[in-house]
Amino acid sequence: MSLDQPPSPLPGGGWASPGLGSTTPVDRRSARSTSPSKPNYGELNGGPVTWESAKASSAKVNSYRPKQQPSNRGFLARHIRNFSSGLPIFSRPATEDRYAEKEKLGRGRIPGRKPWQRWTLRDLKELPRLIGLLLLRRKKYVMMVLLFVLGVVLFNNPTLRHWYRRHPSLGGGSNFVIILGANQGGGVMEWKGPREWAIERDSVRNKKRYAAEWGYELEIVDLATKKRYAHEWRESWEKVDIVRNSMRKYPNAEWFWWLDLNSFIMEPSVSLQAHLFNDLATNTYRDINLYNPLNISHPPDPTKDNPAFTNYLDPISRSAVGDGKPESINLLISQDCGGFNLGSFFVRRSAWTDQLLDIWWDPVFYEQRHMEWEHKEQDALEYIYTNQPGMRPHVAFVPQRLVNAFPNGACGDDRGIPEGGCRSLIKPGAAIEMADLAKWECGLQGIHYQEKERDFIVNMAGCEWGRDCWGEMYNFRRLSNHLNRNRWEKFKDWVSESWRRRFEHKLGGAAAAKVK
């Protein structure tokens, strides 16, 4: 058997395509090969297909590469597609016609409603949807407004504001401790009347609100009768020991502010930093000669009843202004008409302060001078300042109206302020002499509280001797509430005042008509 030609798949022999074998039966009359009952795929283009042309067409098909890769290729793409296909679809088939024609003139409006028609209940139901569409088209501006509103809300939150103002690196409120000398145990004689209880209640509440507003620490101490030592009781000297104990209790605080119970903070919206400590150089003076009611020689002069060892003092101790640096100030006090006043004073944590408190609390002072010193611890501090010049460079004085204003009647009568206020006296390029300000409450000798100047604090010192402590506390509390009203309260007061004046004007006109 000859295998020169491969066997044919067709019955009877031959091949479907001419030229692939010599045994293909061909019709001589039409020069076409006989085809079986199946279609002939060799004549797709109207002519015979050769082996070379079929091979070339197959090569073209195999060399084609589609630009888009088939799906489900890769682990990440396949699982993301499966996850996204499982998400819920929120579109409603009934509302798809609303978004079918985006270029329609009336899109975004309530369907079926004309501009001149009145609003109906159906229109109001569609209003939230329209607002939502409007917000979606302006996402950037909506987010900016929402962030602004959120910031305002968070900033006005009392808890967040207290934390912000208390933080040492932000507001710095934890650096200040307010020490309030109260007598919660009933006073020195273990007895207090209704007025004394009311004064204490108002004063404590005032300090608590102020400390909470600005993040300060508040230490309320009981000044009830007790014996520091078994053989003595140093009344009023105890504030020295209390300050020292407070420094141990608050080791991270820097400044300690002592306040008497009869004091009242008139401007709770002003912080200590803004009021005083942000600019100590401007708000204080180091030379006591500027206002010296005690006539203390400063700097020490060996020719005036002073020992000769003053010649051995260093230049800073002999200087009237010390080193002139605000960071060296460790004690802030005010002076009234009688000298140093310790109803409101500041001490700073430092080695110098520890030394001062040890000398100030020395029992020798009490044993030797308790019969001579009428003001006790205040006279003791004046004695230390006068006879130990090394203490002077770290002491600074504050104008009394700045931290310890008196009500009218304390230290004389109120001398008032000029018509244009204290700032009217300050003219650019003009020097203001102390003699020119002697008749006003604007200089360093200013003592009494001035409502027009919005003084920071008032101290009803000495009100228990011939004055009404409760009446003064009540009046200053009402005045503080009136001066610190919010805008809404001011608006209501303005409306009430306008109606009152209008009624009085009409009433006056009616009375005048009756007289005629």
Side-chain angles (χ1 to χ4, degrees):
M1 180 179 178
S2 176
L3 297 177
D4 294 339
Q5 295 180 357
S8 172
L10 300 176
W15 292 88
S17 298
L20 294 181
S22 56
T23 59
T24 304
V26 179
D27 188 359
R28 300 299 182 181
R29 294 173 299 179
S30 60
R32 293 182 180 179
S33 61
T34 60
S35 60
S37 60
K38 296 182 179 180
N40 186 4
Y41 296 97
E43 299 180 359
L44 296 178
N45 295 325
V49 179
T50 62
W51 176 261
E52 288 77 12
S53 62
K55 186 176 181 180
S57 300
S58 177
K60 291 181 181 179
V61 172
N62 293 334
S63 63
Y64 170 76
R65 292 295 183 269
K67 294 183 180 180
Q68 185 176 1
Q69 297 293 333
S71 60
N72 294 334
R73 179 170 295 183
F75 176 82
L76 183 61
R78 182 169 63 254
H79 283 76
I80 290 179
R81 184 176 296 102
N82 294 337
F83 175 75
S84 60
S85 62
L87 293 177
I89 300 176
F90 296 97
S91 61
R92 296 185 304 172
T95 58
E96 292 297 331
D97 55 338
R98 297 174 180 171
Y99 310 98
E101 300 180 3
K102 296 185 178 181
E103 292 77 19
K104 189 176 179 181
L105 180 62
R107 68 185 177 91
R109 302 177 182 177
I110 298 177
R113 181 184 179 276
K114 303 301 181 182
W116 58 85
Q117 294 178 350
R118 293 184 178 182
W119 287 84
T120 62
L121 182 60
R122 178 177 174 274
D123 298 338
L124 295 178
K125 292 181 179 179
E126 293 288 338
L127 189 60
R129 182 183 64 83
L130 297 179
I131 296 177
L133 291 176
L134 182 63
L135 295 179
L136 288 176
R137 295 170 189 165
R138 294 168 175 82
K139 293 182 180 180
K140 180 174 66 175
Y141 303 103
V142 172
M143 290 301 299
M144 293 175 60
V145 173
L146 291 179
L147 290 177
F148 176 77
V149 173
L150 181 62
V152 172
V153 172
L154 293 178
F155 182 79
N156 292 326
N157 183 270
T159 303
L160 182 64
R161 185 172 66 247
H162 177 80
W163 175 85
Y164 169 83
R165 291 177 174 176
R166 178 180 172 79
H167 196 277
S169 302
L170 300 177
S174 60
N175 295 328
F176 297 87
V177 177
I178 302 175
I179 306 175
L180 180 62
N183 49 359
Q184 295 178 336
V188 175
M189 303 304 296
E190 297 295 334
W191 176 88
K192 288 193 301 185
R195 288 176 175 265
E196 286 77 11
W197 283 113
I199 291 173
E200 179 176 329
R201 181 186 65 247
D202 291 343
S203 180
V204 171
R205 183 187 302 161
N206 175 249
K207 310 307 183 300
K208 284 184 177 180
R209 290 179 177 177
Y210 184 73
E213 176 69 18
W214 295 103
Y216 303 144
E217 298 286 357
L218 178 60
E219 180 70 11
I220 303 177
V221 295
D222 189 3
L223 300 183
T225 303
K226 62 180 180 179
K227 290 186 177 181
R228 185 66 175 85
Y229 301 103
H231 65 285
E232 66 180 83
W233 160 244
R234 288 179 283 175
E235 185 182 356
S236 295
W237 253 278
E238 61 184 358
K239 66 175 59 176
V240 181
D241 192 36
I242 290 172
V243 170
R244 186 164 53 183
N245 293 334
S246 298
M247 288 186 174
R248 298 192 188 102
K249 185 176 181 180
Y250 302 97
N252 297 325
E254 181 182 5
W255 284 98
F256 296 81
W257 183 20
W258 173 274
L259 281 176
D260 285 346
L261 183 64
N262 290 333
S263 62
F264 196 87
I265 299 175
M266 300 294 293
E267 299 295 330
S269 60
V270 179
S271 65
L272 289 175
Q273 298 92 313
H275 180 65
L276 181 64
F277 289 95
N278 287 345
D279 194 1
L280 274 179
T282 303
N283 296 323
T284 60
Y285 62 98
R286 311 286 285 273
D287 187 3
I288 195 176
N289 297 313
L290 297 177
Y291 179 49
N292 194 358
L294 298 175
N295 296 320
I296 299 175
S297 298
H298 188 63
D301 187 0
T303 63
K304 286 186 177 182
D305 301 329
N306 284 291
F309 66 79
T310 54
N311 294 324
Y312 298 96
L313 294 175
D314 59 277
I316 296 179
S317 299
R318 291 179 56 85
S319 173
V321 296
D323 58 2
K325 299 178 180 179
E327 54 268 18
S328 65
I329 298 176
N330 294 311
L331 176 62
L332 288 172
I333 57 177
S334 61
Q335 297 186 93
D336 57 21
C337 56
F340 293 179
N341 189 286
L342 298 180
S344 172
F345 68 95
F346 296 85
V347 291
R348 188 177 192 172
R349 183 190 301 276
S350 64
W352 179 91
T353 303
D354 294 338
Q355 182 182 3
L356 172 66
L357 295 177
D358 289 340
I359 298 174
W360 201 353
W361 183 250
D362 195 336
V364 176
F365 283 163
Y366 174 80
E367 295 291 345
Q368 296 181 355
R369 299 280 184 166
H370 70 283
M371 296 299 293
E372 300 179 14
W373 289 343
E374 179 182 2
H375 300 97
K376 302 177 178 62
E377 84 290 349
Q378 180 175 310
D379 292 336
L381 181 62
E382 294 172 354
Y383 180 85
I384 295 173
Y385 185 87
T386 303
N387 295 279
Q388 301 212 12
M391 294 290 177
R392 300 183 184 185
H394 297 274
V395 179
F397 300 97
V398 187
Q400 184 168 351
R401 284 183 45 226
L402 202 64
V403 296
N404 199 24
F406 281 177
N408 186 21
C411 280
D413 295 329
D414 186 2
R415 293 170 294 181
I417 57 176
E419 183 177 356
C422 293
R423 295 185 178 181
S424 64
L425 300 175
I426 304 176
K427 299 179 181 179
I432 302 177
E433 301 294 338
M434 290 299 300
D436 299 334
L437 298 178
K439 60 180 180 179
W440 304 111
E441 291 280 3
C442 298
L444 300 180
Q445 300 180 19
I447 293 176
H448 302 98
Y449 173 82
Q450 301 298 326
E451 177 183 347
K452 294 181 179 180
E453 296 294 315
R454 302 291 294 268
D455 288 340
F456 177 66
I457 187 173
V458 63
N459 186 1
M460 284 71 73
C463 62
E464 59 269 15
W465 290 289
R467 305 204 318 265
D468 184 8
C469 294
W470 160 243
E472 292 181 358
M473 177 69 73
Y474 176 77
N475 291 331
F476 280 110
R477 176 171 59 85
R478 289 192 59 186
L479 178 60
S480 176
N481 294 336
H482 177 75
L483 295 176
N484 293 277
R485 295 168 298 168
N486 55 36
R487 296 181 178 178
W488 173 244
E489 292 174 345
K490 291 181 179 179
F491 174 75
K492 291 191 298 183
D493 292 344
W494 175 79
V495 173
S496 301
E497 184 67 18
S498 301
W499 277 100
R500 185 185 64 82
R501 291 179 180 178
R502 183 178 180 182
F503 178 75
E504 290 180 353
H505 178 72
K506 290 184 177 181
L507 187 62
K514 288 182 179 180
V515 172
K516 292 181 178 180

